[in-house]
Amino acid sequence: MDIQSLTYLFVGTSFALYIGIAIRSRAGSTADFYVAGGGVSPLANGMATAADWMSAASFISMAGIISFIGRDGSVYLMGWTGGYVLLALLLAPYLRKFGKYTVPDFVGDRYYSDAARLVAVICVIFISFTYVAGQMRGVGIVFSRFLEVDINAGVAIGMAIVFFYAVLGGMKGITYTQVAQYCVLIFAFMVPAIFISLNMTGNPIPQFGFGSTLTTAPDTFLLDRLDQLSTELGFAAYTSGQKSTIDVFCITAALMVGTAGLPHVIVRFFTVPRVRDARLSAGYALVFIAILYTTAPAVASFVRVNVIETINEASYEAVPGWFKRWEDSGLIAWHDKNGDGRIQYRAGDALVGVKPQFLPERGAAGQRLLSNKPSANSNEIYIDRDIMVLANPEIARLPNWVIALVAAGGLAAALSTAAGLLLVISTAIAHDLLKKVLMPDITDRQELLYARIAAAVAIGIAGLFGIYPPAFVAQVVAFAFGLAAASFFPVIFMGIFYRRMNREGAIAGMLSGLLFTFAYIVYFKFINPAANSADHWWLGISPEGIGTLGMLVNFTTALAVCHVTAPPPASIFELVDNVRIPRGAGAAYHHHLES
Amino acid sequence: MNQPREQQRDYWRSNLRLLCGLLSIWFLCSFGLGILWVDWLDQYRLFGFKLGFWFAQQGAIYVFVVLIFVYIFAANRLDHRHGVNEDEDHYVEDENYYGADGD
């Protein structure tokens, strides 16, 4: 079968599976809808958390980014896994003992304040929408490239699927579809990685493969070969770092703390029965995540060697089919600067204005012509980083079914994360905003209806983001992590580990951390993007890493304000003491209601 | 909640000690070996990897996984030793378990 029918087959089968699961696990109550009734097993929750967490960015973009920036890519690898240690040790067990549905619930109750709850609700909604916009776009890209449908039609199909299981099943439906989606995405990521590792190094385990010698040159280690190729073409050595140490430090810290503070990840730990299940599911989640995260850097170096060896100095007529197909999609461009009909791949941007602007005509060799002026360097090629994982199996000449599998995996990654985020948004609106603040008298049944309506509206808005992507989507990703690091992590951490922390301190801390981080990112990304370079950054910290300072601002302000204002009431000391010990996790909610 | 205060305080203190120990290892292996000392470590090799590069892209992640499982084991043991484990808690598989209708 050809690639396209295989892709239809795989994607169709996986979608049928998700819908089947959704029909079997409909939500009957708000507890079902928000936290799957609190009865998910730690293993299933670990898988669901992994799928929830690993988005289109992890599956499609991360290995591509690493293959272009080399060792500095470790900020994502360590940042997005190390956060789980913080989550497992400092947050998850205590939040599970607290036993409510959402992060704003904890903030509002612990700090006995609806103002604090509102600040938390706004953060949740902002962070989640930022994140979901990218997911829907990822769905559209996979559809348009592999199934050759319009991007907008692809987004619409994705919306319909998510609508079906998120609105019907709530957290219960999402949990079990995420388990299936994890299996699909990890299989789709590992199969090509294992194939390529075997081809290039003879070692079937990619994690070891990229530290092995090449099958074509048994005396040369793959990474040494890659360093040599990179320096020959004018790039920095792959295994050396380019970013300053302080920036790498701050970006890693911001991503770690931000991960631990992301509401759609935290909420997953409310779905297990006991405190020790919360600990265990954090462990399982990290194992499942680590499988992909330790493979991604291997894939990154394999694909980098392959790309350089395949296209550099190749004549355009002789390049493999994937090159021309991605050129047709506009994600690869070639400008024959020296007119020799061969592709020269060197360091630097090939085009002025970076992104290619295509003309309708074709050049002498059949390449798409560009309206961009060529830049001064000798690099002739533009490659979008996002295509590396998707094109990887084609570049390595793997069988068609592997290529089709990657499409199904990319969709699973994007849909599972989108569903988790949409649920968090609908919970924040129906539970935290309507039930807790605006309409406290509504019944459980009405609240469930509002939650479903909120989920449906959120899906609609997310779809619009996918169809009309705001130009700032790429720039705002730094927001989600920076803001989570500067707001939620400190406020939850102090809520558990510092009994004396009061309402005034928490609100002041959240606001100061948020404003500081927000202002810094907005200044460098929107107001004065020309100044966005290491020379102008404060202490040499990029907007991506500023969340680390934002977190420190939050902590400092909160502690200072807390010490000049009244301590929290006695019932709060009792609440904190209760949250700190595991015994009685099942009774925690009722206990708190009575107190 | 009938635990004597003193015993609860002991439990919390041991818990904090455990967390400090594990988080120091967490910090050393990621921020230390993977970032601050990465260039110095690169003079050593582990098969085809420079050691600093390996910690930054592989080793730190393995350490994270091990740390969480050490924590799970140690924390469960701590709960038992201080009598705050959940073995006597009865998990009720019930729609209204969360007080959904009790609000």
Side-chain angles (χ1 to χ4, degrees):
Chain A
M1 274 201 274
D2 65 341
I3 295 182
Q4 201 172 342
S5 14
L6 276 167
T7 311
Y8 272 113
L9 180 70
F10 284 2
V11 171
T13 314
S14 63
F15 279 16
L17 178 69
Y18 307 151
I19 291 175
I21 294 170
I23 292 173
R24 282 188 56 120
S25 45
R26 279 201 308 274
S29 66
T30 46
D32 274 354
F33 196 87
Y34 297 147
V35 292
V40 179
S41 84
L43 187 68
N45 192 41
M47 272 195 205
T49 310
D52 199 36
W53 167 241
M54 292 193 287
S55 59
S58 294
F59 189 95
I60 300 174
S61 310
M62 191 175 66
I65 292 173
I66 298 170
S67 87
F68 281 89
I69 64 176
R71 191 185 80 193
D72 287 339
S74 63
V75 297
Y76 304 111
L77 295 166
M78 288 195 284
W80 286 338
T81 52
Y84 277 83
V85 178
L86 296 176
L87 199 55
L89 271 57
L90 301 178
L91 307 184
Y94 311 104
L95 288 174
R96 174 59 198 87
K97 176 63 191 295
F98 173 70
K100 289 279 200 71
Y101 300 134
T102 66
V103 173
D105 256 344
F106 179 80
V107 174
D109 286 6
R110 166 64 181 82
Y111 296 111
Y112 47 99
S113 152
D114 275 342
R117 191 189 302 270
L118 265 181
V119 175
V121 169
I122 293 166
C123 291
V124 164
I125 294 177
F126 187 83
I127 292 171
S128 303
F129 265 123
T130 310
Y131 219 97
V132 85
Q135 305 308 317
M136 281 306 182
R137 193 67 190 163
V139 172
I141 288 175
V142 174
F143 267 108
S144 71
R145 170 63 187 81
F146 288 97
L147 300 177
E148 287 171 24
V149 296
D150 186 47
I151 284 199
N152 299 350
V155 172
I157 298 170
M159 277 166 60
I161 297 285
V162 174
F163 182 85
F164 201 78
Y165 65 75
V167 174
L168 265 189
M171 184 57 110
K172 207 171 166 192
I174 285 176
T175 300
Y176 296 105
T177 39
Q178 278 175 340
V179 170
Q181 282 160 337
Y182 176 77
C183 299
V184 171
L185 82 88
I186 201 68
F187 188 68
F189 198 84
M190 294 308 292
V191 165
I194 291 169
F195 264 117
I196 295 170
S197 185
L198 263 177
N199 274 349
M200 293 183 70
T201 67
N203 193 326
I205 301 169
Q207 285 85 342
F208 300 148
F210 82 126
S212 307
T213 53
L214 292 158
T215 41
T216 48
D219 298 329
T220 317
F221 284 114
L222 181 130
L223 287 170
D224 292 338
R225 172 96 181 117
L226 184 50
D227 278 349
Q228 181 208 339
L229 283 173
S230 304
T231 41
E232 274 173 17
L233 300 183
F235 298 98
Y238 185 83
T239 58
S240 70
Q242 304 308 305
K243 287 190 198 317
S244 70
T245 301
I246 183 166
D247 201 24
V248 171
F249 191 98
C250 285
I251 296 177
T252 308
L255 294 180
M256 280 189 189
V257 178
T259 301
L262 281 180
H264 71 288
V265 176
I266 291 179
V267 74
R268 290 237 48 100
F269 296 95
F270 289 100
T271 65
V272 293
R274 284 170 302 206
V275 171
R276 65 160 183 259
D277 298 327
R279 291 176 187 143
L280 188 57
S281 55
Y284 280 133
L286 186 57
V287 169
F288 294 133
I289 291 166
I291 296 173
L292 189 142
Y293 272 63
T294 51
T295 307
V299 170
S301 52
F302 296 147
V303 75
R304 183 85 179 143
V305 172
N306 264 336
V307 164
I308 294 176
E309 292 191 331
T310 313
I311 63 173
N312 186 40
E313 301 299 337
S315 74
Y316 183 83
E317 276 99 351
V319 293
W322 61 266
F323 187 94
K324 291 173 184 168
R325 280 197 293 277
W326 285 104
E327 187 187 11
D328 289 339
S329 308
L331 297 173
I332 284 183
W334 174 51
H335 196 300
D336 194 7
K337 289 178 184 170
N338 58 4
D340 65 352
R342 287 176 177 278
I343 297 163
Q344 270 85 35
Y345 185 27
R346 301 284 183 273
D349 290 328
L351 309 167
V352 173
V354 188
K355 294 265 176 206
Q357 308 294 329
F358 293 96
L359 297 168
E361 300 91 36
R362 298 237 167 206
Q367 82 273 27
R368 295 180 75 179
L369 290 180
L370 302 157
S371 61
N372 306 61
K373 290 202 169 58
S375 57
N377 59 44
S378 53
N379 181 26
E380 298 184 343
I381 189 127
Y382 163 85
I383 303 179
D384 190 288
R385 295 168 176 194
D386 281 351
I387 69 173
M388 302 310 277
V389 164
L390 297 176
N392 189 22
E394 297 175 89
I395 297 172
R397 297 192 181 80
L398 297 183
N400 284 351
W401 65 269
V402 179
I403 299 166
L405 190 61
V406 170
L411 287 172
L415 290 176
S416 58
T417 307
L421 290 162
L422 291 165
L423 188 84
V424 163
I425 295 171
S426 85
T427 313
I429 290 170
H431 182 74
D432 299 319
L433 200 62
L434 296 183
K435 171 79 180 172
K436 291 291 177 159
V437 182
L438 298 179
M439 309 155 51
D441 297 329
I442 53 175
T443 64
D444 190 53
R445 191 175 290 274
Q446 285 169 314
E447 191 186 334
L448 184 59
L449 178 67
Y450 284 122
R452 290 203 158 114
I453 295 172
V457 172
I459 291 170
I461 298 174
L464 287 179
F465 275 141
I467 292 170
Y468 307 103
F472 53 85
V473 162
Q475 280 94 321
V476 294
V477 179
F479 269 129
F481 287 94
L483 296 185
S487 59
F488 288 133
F489 181 80
V491 97
I492 301 174
F493 175 79
M494 289 185 294
I496 297 161
F497 287 85
Y498 188 50
R499 295 160 85 221
R500 172 71 172 73
M501 182 49 64
N502 60 8
R503 168 178 62 195
E504 290 79 7
I507 296 176
M510 268 202 288
L511 288 180
S512 59
L514 279 177
L515 285 179
F516 172 81
T517 311
F518 197 83
Y520 194 86
I521 298 177
V522 166
Y523 178 76
F524 281 113
K525 294 285 188 181
F526 299 105
I527 297 177
N528 194 1
N532 191 7
S533 68
D535 305 334
H536 301 96
W537 292 336
W538 200 43
L539 302 174
I541 299 169
S542 61
E544 284 74 22
I546 202 65
T548 305
L549 285 188
M551 173 186 73
L552 296 177
V553 168
N554 183 333
F555 274 124
T556 325
T557 317
L559 288 174
V561 171
C562 165
H563 280 280
V564 295
T565 44
S571 64
I572 296 300
F573 283 100
E574 224 170 89
L575 171 76
V576 177
D577 283 341
N578 182 30
V579 160
R580 285 178 176 185
I581 59 162
R583 173 160 288 174
Y589 185 67
H590 295 289
H591 171 86
H592 181 63
L593 272 185
E594 288 152 16
S595 64
Chain B
M1 296 318 95
N2 301 323
Q3 295 299 321
R5 289 254 160 219
E6 196 50 41
Q7 200 179 349
Q8 253 192 53
R9 205 168 305 149
D10 273 355
Y11 169 72
W12 190 246
R13 233 174 264 143
S14 323
N15 185 38
L16 290 182
R17 260 198 306 276
L18 172 67
L19 295 182
C20 285
L22 292 174
L23 287 177
S24 326
I25 302 175
W26 165 81
F27 185 85
L28 281 181
C29 289
S30 50
F31 292 95
L33 301 176
I35 296 175
L36 298 176
W37 308 313
V38 63
D39 290 316
W40 180 81
L41 275 176
D42 272 348
Q43 62 183 306
Y44 304 104
R45 289 189 75 112
L46 181 76
F47 302 100
F49 298 105
K50 291 176 183 165
L51 193 56
F53 176 85
W54 183 80
F55 262 104
Q57 297 213 337
Q58 295 276 298
I61 302 176
Y62 299 132
V63 173
F64 297 153
V65 172
V66 171
L67 279 178
I68 294 191
F69 281 94
V70 170
Y71 167 72
I72 294 169
F73 178 77
N76 287 344
R77 210 177 49 173
L78 206 63
D79 292 352
H80 274 275
R81 193 174 294 159
H82 291 263
V84 294
N85 57 343
E86 303 160 278
D87 291 353
E88 289 153 39
D89 290 351
H90 296 290
Y91 170 61
V92 195
E93 195 127 17
D94 173 4
E95 295 268 296
N96 298 329
Y97 173 69
Y98 277 84
D101 290 329
D103 273 11

